[in-house]
């Protein structure tokens, strides 16, 4: 992925589980392959309370053209602790309108985007995602990093604070692979489990939308923003061509008034070509062992601001095909079920299918982006309870 000798990203690095490592003080070259391509990196602190500095440059040839991306810094559990826009003047340092710099300032000197203090010793993650909208090449502040290259570097410095902040994050994490019952991660009551749905880019398809021209008819000389231009007795500029002549006036229609004529206005939508990524998502499976006569409540995304709309959940009893519950579950939603019998209850999460892409025949699913958390709570009843 790198144009010349040096360091570069290794695709796929689209999520927390295959993030590229960053060496301090070394720029890495990368490419945003589309609005769906989010590049992940990780850095490991060797002391508590170190200061992380993130440096960001555009592609070779115009290093100061940094607008078009969002950088997020996350902790070990995927929680966002800082987020910054790479547009000059939007939380960055250096750079003026149009990406121009004073002649005495080098691009590297102006490349610093942000500084973050990392309290707990350990692994942290940095993600780079192109903003939507704009074109591939545009002046600073007006576009997207879509289909563009960039350079990123980090540096770690000691702050002198020797005591780390207390870690009160009562979480556990999934362990890949956990795609089936044999490798299911155990759930404990009232302990939140964090995870990420691994995804693989199968292919990228090109979707073309042809140009479209739509016509609207308005009374001649009528301005939709100026009520004083409405014809007498009318409350809207829209003209009904079935009851009114169309301009230019018909010479065979005596007495036609220009104010009562309809004038056609063309609204043109240009042709557009978009690239859509087709992904396959992995399955995350969890298991809870019940002693029976329990009321279980499962919650998803109660502590994490999840980026997906819903995910498919299937609950099975023991190593059988008996389905206790099946259907979609949305962030923030809770599902209650009774565990009357002793045994293992398996919670299987997969992408929710929404249909088929007519152009290619591929399955269409809800995207499963970003981290999530899963919490199971149990209410145990007396062995003789109802």
């Amino acid at each position: 992925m790198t144009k010349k000798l040096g360091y570069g990203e290794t695709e796929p690095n689209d999520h927390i589980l295959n993030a590229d490592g960053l060496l301090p003080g070394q720029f890495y070259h990368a490419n945003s392959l589309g609005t769906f391509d989010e590049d992940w990196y990780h850095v490991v602190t060797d002391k508590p309370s170190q200061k992380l500095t993130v440096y960001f440059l555009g592609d070779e040839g115009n290093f100061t053209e940094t607008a078009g991306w969002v950088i997020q810094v996350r902790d070990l559990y995927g929680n966002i602790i800082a987020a910054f826009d790479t547009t000059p003047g939007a939380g960055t340092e250096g750079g003026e309108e149009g990406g121009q710099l004073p002649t005495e300032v080098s691009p590297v000197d102006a490349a610093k985007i942000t500084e973050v203090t990392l309290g707990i010793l350990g692994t942290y993650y940095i993600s780079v995602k192109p903003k939507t909208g704009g074109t591939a090449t545009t002046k600073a502040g007006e576009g997207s990093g879509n289909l563009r290259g960039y350079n990123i570097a980090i540096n770690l410095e000691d702050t002198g604070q020797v005591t780390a902040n207390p870690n009160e994050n009562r979480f556990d994490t999934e362990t890949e692979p956990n795609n089936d019952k044999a490798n299911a991660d155990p759930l404990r009551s009232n302990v939140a489990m964090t995870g990420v749905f691994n995804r693989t880019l199968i292919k990228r398809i090109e979707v073309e939308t042809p140009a479209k021209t739509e016509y609207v008819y308005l009374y001649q000389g009528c301005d939709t923003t100026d009520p004083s231009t409405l014809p007498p007795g009318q409350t809207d500029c829209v003209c009904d061509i079935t009851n009114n002549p169309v301009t230019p006036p018909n010479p065979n229609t005596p007495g036609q008034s220009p104010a009562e004529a309809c004038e056609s206005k063309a609204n043109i939508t240009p042709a557009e070509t978009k690239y859509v990524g087709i992904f396959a998502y992995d399955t995350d499976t969890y298991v809870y062992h019940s002693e029976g006569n329990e009321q279980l409540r499962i919650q998803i995304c109660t502590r994490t601001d999840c980026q997906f709309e819903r995910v498919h959940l299937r609950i099975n009893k023991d190593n059988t095909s008996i389905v206790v519950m099946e259907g979609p579950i949305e962030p923030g939603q809770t599902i209650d079920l009774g565990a009357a019998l002793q045994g293992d209850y398996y919670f299987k999460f997969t992408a929710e299918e929404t249909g088929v892409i007519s152009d290619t025949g591929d399955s269409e699913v809800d995207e499963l982006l970003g981290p999530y958390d899963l919490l199971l709570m149990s209410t145990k009843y007396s062995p003789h309870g109802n």
Side-chain angles (χ1 to χ4, degrees):
M1 299 299 296
T2 184
K3 295 181 180 179
K4 54 188 177 182
L5 293 177
Y7 293 90
E9 66 166 333
T10 57
E11 289 284 2
N13 61 339
D14 298 334
H15 52 75
I16 199 171
L17 297 178
N18 55 8
D20 287 326
L22 294 178
L23 295 176
Q26 174 65 52
F27 270 99
Y28 287 71
H29 181 266
N31 294 278
S32 293
L33 302 179
T35 54
F36 56 83
D37 183 25
E38 184 172 1
D39 298 330
W40 283 68
Y41 306 93
H42 71 83
V43 59
V44 180
T45 61
D46 56 10
K47 292 181 181 179
S49 302
Q50 286 186 310
K51 182 178 71 175
L52 169 70
T53 305
V54 179
Y55 300 87
F56 193 85
L57 292 172
D59 206 357
E60 186 175 3
N62 196 354
F63 288 118
T64 60
E65 193 72 39
T66 62
W69 289 270
V70 172
I71 297 176
Q72 294 178 331
V73 182
R74 301 170 184 262
D75 64 13
L76 176 63
Y77 309 101
N79 301 310
I80 298 174
I81 58 177
F84 297 87
D85 193 316
T86 61
T87 303
T92 66
E93 294 189 15
E96 299 174 353
E97 185 65 22
Q100 301 299 317
L101 290 168
T103 55
E104 68 273 11
V105 179
S106 71
V108 174
D109 291 335
K112 184 170 68 173
I113 296 294
T114 185
E115 294 178 344
V116 183
T117 300
L118 309 179
I120 306 295
L121 187 148
T123 302
Y124 291 83
Y125 296 92
I126 301 169
S127 63
V128 180
K129 182 178 177 64
K131 297 165 62 178
T132 57
T135 58
T137 56
T138 178
K139 70 179 183 178
E142 290 188 354
S144 168
N146 184 16
L147 302 178
R148 291 169 56 195
Y150 65 86
N151 296 273
I152 187 171
I154 60 97
N155 193 35
L156 289 171
E157 300 177 65
D158 295 339
T159 61
Q161 181 179 344
V162 296
T163 303
N165 295 325
N167 185 1
E168 297 180 354
N169 207 346
R170 297 179 181 177
F171 278 80
D172 203 349
T173 58
E174 66 163 333
T175 56
E176 290 287 357
N178 60 343
N179 299 338
D180 50 36
K181 294 179 180 178
N183 297 289
D185 286 317
L187 292 176
R188 293 176 292 160
S189 180
N190 297 305
V191 176
M193 180 74 73
T194 62
V196 175
F197 292 108
N198 184 16
R199 70 176 186 175
T200 302
L201 179 63
I202 301 175
K203 59 183 175 181
R204 187 175 60 168
I205 62 175
E206 185 177 294
V207 178
E208 294 185 1
T209 303
K212 181 173 63 174
T213 301
E214 295 179 316
Y215 291 93
V216 295
Y217 294 91
L218 306 177
Y219 287 108
Q220 187 172 350
C222 189
D223 185 349
T224 57
T225 63
D226 186 358
S228 66
T229 62
L230 288 169
Q234 301 298 329
T235 60
D236 196 299
C237 284
V238 178
C239 188
D240 184 359
I241 62 175
T242 60
N243 299 322
N244 296 276
V246 177
T247 188
N250 187 345
N252 298 321
T253 306
Q256 174 180 291
S257 170
E260 298 174 352
C262 294
E263 184 177 24
S264 63
K265 299 287 186 181
N267 291 330
I268 301 175
T269 303
E272 182 181 12
T273 299
K274 296 192 301 183
Y275 293 93
V276 179
I278 304 298
F279 294 93
Y281 293 89
D282 79 332
T283 300
D284 285 354
T285 307
Y286 302 91
V287 61
Y288 175 75
H289 180 76
S290 172
E291 297 298 333
N293 205 27
E294 289 187 72
Q295 181 72 24
L296 303 181
R297 167 168 288 184
I298 191 78
Q299 298 177 306
I300 190 169
C301 301
T302 58
R303 292 161 169 76
T304 303
D305 185 14
C306 291
Q307 301 177 41
F308 53 84
E309 295 182 358
R310 59 180 181 171
V311 61
H312 192 84
L313 171 61
R314 179 186 177 114
I315 305 175
N316 286 86
K317 171 69 169 61
D318 291 322
N319 197 18
T320 68
S321 59
I322 299 175
V323 178
V324 179
M325 174 270 172
E326 183 169 17
I329 180 172
E330 301 176 358
Q333 183 179 353
T334 63
I335 292 178
D336 295 313
L337 65 145
L341 302 177
Q342 182 181 20
D344 293 329
Y345 290 80
Y346 291 90
F347 299 81
K348 179 180 178 182
F349 292 88
T350 57
E352 181 74 20
E353 293 192 8
T354 59
V356 176
I357 301 176
S358 58
D359 293 340
T360 65
D362 293 291
S363 296
E364 192 172 28
V365 300
D366 283 336
E367 289 189 329
L368 298 177
L369 302 177
Y372 67 89
D373 70 86
L374 180 68
L375 179 64
L376 181 140
M377 293 184 290
S378 166
T379 302
K380 298 182 180 181
Y381 294 96
S382 166
H384 303 290
N386 295 324

